[in-house]
Amino acid sequence: MRVLVVGGGGREHAIVDAIFREKDAKIYCAPGNAGISEQAELVNLKSHDVYPILRFVDDNKIDLTIVGPEQPLAAGMVDAFENRGKKIFGPRKLAARLETSKVFAKEFMQRWKIPTAEFAVFSVQQRNELKNYLSKAKYPSVLKADGLAAGKGVSIVQSFSEAEIEIEKFFVKKIFGESGERIVVEEFMSGVEASVFAITDGKDFVVLPAAQDHKRVGDNDTGKNTGGMGSFAPTPFMGERETLRTKVEIIEKVIEGTNAEGFPFRGCLYCGLMLTDEGPKVVEFNARFGDPETQTVLQLIDSSVLDLLYSTAAKKVSSYKLTLNNAAAVCVVAASKGYPDEYETGKTITGLELKLENTKVFHSGSKKMNNELATSGGRVIGVTGIDRGGRIEQAAELAYKRLKQIHFDGIYYRRDIGKNAIEFEKKAGIRE
Ligand code: AMP
Ligand code: GLY
């Protein structure tokens, strides 16, 4: 089997690693990164270069292409491939709207009675109506840019005056460009968050163990939102009841609704959930695997990840049997000083050659420089610790132990990844 993974971050490294360890496949990655180059042959194409990548796939007789990030989905990569009869993992452009337009996603959920926060939508022209609405709203309240904003398009505001400042940013300063031309105002939901990946061929689906992401930059969920500073899986906050309700009230309804409306969703339906007192509610959908959740979730799968992705692209998920290994995994992301704001790159990374059993280092922003590895992004690496006994605490200890061996100038990481799960498990008496 010849496989191409599209993308070049920690998520794609984890996908490449899963395929590398289970199958005798030839793996390519476009564009990949320095870490990925140890397991796959890098292809010098940007992930949104739809037609050059299609040509590469033709020329190199690739059997399956796996799309990591959202931009190629929004650019119609899957449509272009499927129209040429090429097998590709990911949704077509119309189905990817569940991620690329928050207005579309909210209205879809409303039509199909999928549990989510109450909301209202306002366009640039409706600035006065928006102000009027927010002057009477309950606080905290949530403002979201309609389009893609690299995880930064959400503001939680505590008062009307804070909301006014945000409206200026969206509508006057246009910090999100076209993505911010419509704003979704949402009811604030409290609870614990969970990320659930449903792998579906448009008809049947497989649900992977749920994870939790840590989006804020600082310990105890303080500071700015980021692309994700760490994750753990499985999350003990997602019990059997929550899992069942997520399947019946959310995933099955998305499959039914997308089919009925003529855009069946194939790929990874990422359900970002809030586990509220009333049950799981959707915070957001994504049309792809999460980063850094993938760096933990894939460690829990015993059956073949490549077979799962191939059978999804081939519309044969019903014949796939998912088996899990009962492990627990924790991923801690090490970022450049300053992230998610301005940061410096080009800092030498040391300690990567060292080894620690049951740990893995996934690269997000690294590159080769004068025979050394150097930082090249905000999020630089993610270190995953794996405990075969299913204990989050042990998995976290391993991840932090391995991180201590690694260094670059200005290295920053959260010290509390998985802490809430460890405390929850202790309280519940799951662990001594
Ligand atoms: P999103 O990009 O929609 O996932 O939002 C980013 C983060 O903002 C989420 O992970 C939540 O922590 C928070 N958030 C978004 N919407 C809400 C909401 N309605 N209530 C509470 N928190 C929210
Ligand atoms: N971990 C959040 C995301 O991938 O969007």
Side-chain angles (χ1 to χ4, degrees):
M1 174 97 86
R2 299 165 69 79
V3 183
L4 170 70
V5 176
V6 175
R11 163 185 49 213
E12 289 75 25
H13 195 175
I15 293 170
V16 166
D17 173 71
I19 298 172
F20 182 81
R21 67 186 140 93
E22 67 188 25
K23 285 272 174 182
D24 188 18
K26 169 77 186 159
I27 315 170
Y28 295 91
C29 190
N33 64 37
I36 294 175
S37 71
E38 311 217 330
Q39 295 173 325
E41 191 174 322
L42 302 190
V43 182
N44 190 15
L45 292 171
K46 300 252 162 51
S47 54
H48 54 265
D49 286 343
V50 173
Y51 289 94
I53 291 180
L54 185 53
R55 202 169 315 127
F56 176 86
V57 161
D58 260 336
D59 292 347
N60 291 277
K61 304 197 165 37
I62 301 295
D63 300 296
L64 176 69
T65 301
I66 299 158
V67 185
E70 61 275 21
Q71 293 83 3
L73 302 172
M77 180 176 272
V78 175
D79 308 58
F81 273 55
E82 287 187 345
N83 294 347
R84 285 282 294 273
K86 299 282 173 214
K87 293 251 172 354
I88 183 163
F89 178 87
R92 294 172 79 106
K93 192 175 175 173
L94 285 183
R97 281 178 302 174
L98 286 177
E99 167 164 6
T100 57
S101 168
K102 294 211 189 270
V103 173
F104 177 82
K106 293 297 285 191
E107 290 174 348
F108 176 84
M109 286 187 265
Q110 195 171 45
R111 285 197 291 282
W112 292 91
K113 300 197 170 43
I114 293 169
T116 187
E118 294 291 328
F119 72 101
V121 180
F122 298 89
S123 65
V124 165
Q125 292 79 20
Q126 295 169 303
R127 199 159 139 211
N128 289 336
E129 287 99 313
L130 171 59
K131 282 200 172 173
N132 188 28
Y133 180 89
L134 284 169
S135 69
K136 295 176 198 140
K138 265 203 241 146
Y139 288 90
S141 190
V142 185
L143 305 185
K144 295 187 177 182
D146 175 38
L148 292 180
K152 295 176 189 143
V154 175
S155 303
I156 296 173
V157 289
Q158 304 296 335
S159 64
F160 178 55
S161 56
E162 269 185 44
E164 281 187 300
I165 297 170
E166 292 304 309
I167 297 171
E168 288 283 302
K169 286 190 199 160
F170 282 76
F171 283 172
V172 182
K173 294 187 189 138
K174 296 192 190 288
I175 57 169
F176 300 115
E178 269 180 32
S179 285
E181 284 184 356
R182 286 195 292 176
I183 293 183
V184 179
V185 182
E186 270 184 29
E187 160 206 14
F188 178 82
M189 301 185 284
S190 31
V192 179
E193 285 180 68
S195 306
V196 175
F197 302 157
I199 312 301
T200 172
D201 58 7
K203 214 167 91 214
D204 299 294
F205 65 92
V206 164
V207 181
L208 304 185
Q212 190 182 328
D213 183 11
H214 294 62
K215 287 208 171 74
R216 303 287 207 94
V217 72
D219 283 359
N220 301 314
D221 295 327
T222 52
K224 289 197 174 164
N225 258 330
T226 68
M229 295 301 294
S231 69
F232 60 83
T235 164
F237 298 101
M238 192 83 191
E240 265 176 45
R241 231 178 103 75
E242 287 80 11
T243 305
L244 184 64
R245 288 188 64 172
T246 302
K247 282 185 191 169
V248 174
E249 296 174 22
I250 300 169
I251 299 166
E252 287 176 2
K253 285 199 183 162
V254 170
I255 292 176
E256 186 192 349
T258 49
N259 274 294
E261 295 189 11
F263 54 92
F265 187 101
R266 235 182 335 277
C268 175
L269 176 72
Y270 168 134
C271 306
L273 304 178
M274 190 70 82
L275 305 174
T276 73
D277 293 343
E278 295 162 21
K281 292 189 181 179
V282 177
V283 176
E284 64 164 347
F285 286 124
N286 289 317
R288 47 157 180 93
F289 284 104
D291 189 341
E293 293 96 320
T294 306
Q295 291 90 311
T296 49
V297 172
L298 295 189
Q299 310 311 319
L300 316 189
I301 299 179
D302 228 14
S303 43
S304 160
V305 171
L306 180 57
D307 286 352
L308 172 61
L309 305 182
Y310 189 86
S311 59
T312 305
K315 303 184 198 169
K316 285 194 286 208
V317 165
S318 60
S319 64
Y320 181 80
K321 173 94 185 74
L322 177 74
T323 53
L324 303 173
N325 59 17
N326 296 318
V330 173
C331 175
V332 183
V333 171
S336 302
K337 185 178 158 198
Y339 176 79
D341 296 324
E342 300 265 299
Y343 54 82
E344 288 179 17
T345 57
K347 311 287 183 196
T348 306
I349 313 172
T350 58
L352 290 171
E353 70 293 351
L354 301 171
K355 295 258 178 303
L356 183 65
E357 219 178 316
N358 291 319
T359 65
K360 289 182 177 185
V361 178
F362 296 115
H363 292 232
S364 312
S366 69
K367 65 169 183 223
K368 286 211 173 89
M369 240 174 55
N370 317 322
N371 280 334
E372 285 183 329
L373 280 185
T375 65
S376 66
R379 292 191 291 172
V380 177
I381 50 164
V383 177
T384 297
I386 302 147
D387 181 59
R388 303 280 160 212
R391 298 161 300 183
I392 301 276
E393 189 166 20
Q394 267 66 13
E397 263 173 33
L398 279 170
Y400 281 110
K401 202 166 158 192
R402 178 71 182 96
L403 251 178
K404 287 211 175 78
Q405 300 174 328
I406 297 171
H407 186 75
F408 55 84
D409 248 12
I411 186 170
Y412 167 77
Y413 51 89
R414 277 180 64 162
R415 312 282 155 159
D416 66 339
I417 304 300
K419 193 170 141 210
N420 58 338
I422 296 164
E423 283 168 3
F424 178 84
E425 286 189 342
K426 279 188 177 155
K427 248 191 245 152
I430 297 168
R431 303 217 34 246
E432 314 271 84

